[in-house]
Amino acid sequence: MIRPATIDDVPEIHAMIRELAEYEKAPHEVRVTEEQLRVALFSDTPAAFSHIAEHEGAVAGFSLWFLTFSTWRGVHGIYMEDLFVRPEYRGSGYGGALMAELARICDERGYQRLEWSVLDWNAPTIGFYDALGAERLDEWVKYRLTDEPLRRLAVRATAS
């Protein structure tokens, strides 16, 4: 069963974010708190949304996503920040069901893109996305500013 997350799911979502970070060999990078998740997902103006995959009452996995906007298409899309299925539930269709729910939301709301990133070494997940018919965007290079480089750039804006 796939359902929208509720505020009561926040501890499980937080735990799965940590499990995903372990799998991706980056547990030291997780800084999010349960309170931050509560605010991001369940405030009056949520910054993100989440769905839960359940198996006989247990949380099997989740997706966490937010809206994007395409200037070329003129409509919203969804950026899936995280998709995670706990190891004991993998191969049972929960990942595909979570993806299908996001595709359904896109279709229902007229969104024209569902996008995400995957680590280049994660062959099982890449195979999963390829099997869905997802298009690999090899010509795009992803960039990110965090921590000190982000602060240095921000100082330029306040100095001018």
Side-chain angles (χ1 to χ4, degrees), residues 53-66:
E54 279 189 341
H55 176 84
E56 298 176 358
V59 175
F62 83 111
S63 63
L64 194 139
W65 55 277
F66 55 88

Side-chain angles (χ1 to χ4, degrees):
M1 178 175 111
I2 305 301
R3 62 171 175 77
T6 69
I7 200 162
D8 293 335
D9 294 313
V10 167
E12 286 281 1
I13 294 169
H14 188 258
M16 287 185 288
I17 289 169
R18 299 189 70 73
E19 292 169 44
L20 175 60
E22 288 281 342
Y23 176 77
E24 292 183 347
K25 303 175 176 89
H28 57 282
E29 294 184 32
V30 176
R31 297 180 186 169
V32 70
T33 65
E34 288 185 21
E35 183 56 28
Q36 287 173 310
L37 285 172
R38 276 186 203 87
V39 170
L41 295 170
F42 300 105
S43 69
D44 291 339
T45 54
F49 308 90
S50 184
H51 282 80
I52 298 293
E54 279 189 341
H55 176 84
E56 298 176 358
V59 175
F62 83 111
S63 63
L64 194 139
W65 55 277
F66 55 88
L67 294 179
T68 62
F69 183 81
S70 170
T71 57
W72 287 16
R73 294 193 174 212
V75 297
H76 282 295
I78 286 177
Y79 187 87
M80 182 179 62
E81 179 67 19
D82 286 330
L83 175 73
F84 181 73
V85 175
R86 289 182 159 140
E88 62 268 30
Y89 300 107
R90 291 184 188 151
S92 300
Y94 293 111
L98 285 162
M99 292 292 295
E101 178 61 11
L102 296 183
R104 186 197 65 75
I105 291 168
C106 286
D107 186 56
E108 177 181 273
R109 298 179 187 179
Y111 302 163
Q112 295 185 10
R113 288 185 178 164
L114 172 54
E115 299 178 299
W116 62 92
S117 298
V118 62
L119 291 166
D120 62 0
W121 56 260
N122 193 344
T125 302
I126 290 169
F128 166 72
Y129 293 138
D130 286 345
L132 292 177
E135 176 186 1
R136 195 178 304 197
L137 302 176
D138 292 329
E139 70 276 10
W140 291 89
V141 177
K142 189 173 184 176
Y143 280 87
R144 176 181 294 156
L145 282 170
T146 61
D147 303 323
E148 190 54 35
L150 179 62
R151 283 188 283 281
R152 278 197 310 270
L153 186 58
V155 167
R156 286 178 45 187
T158 57
S160 42

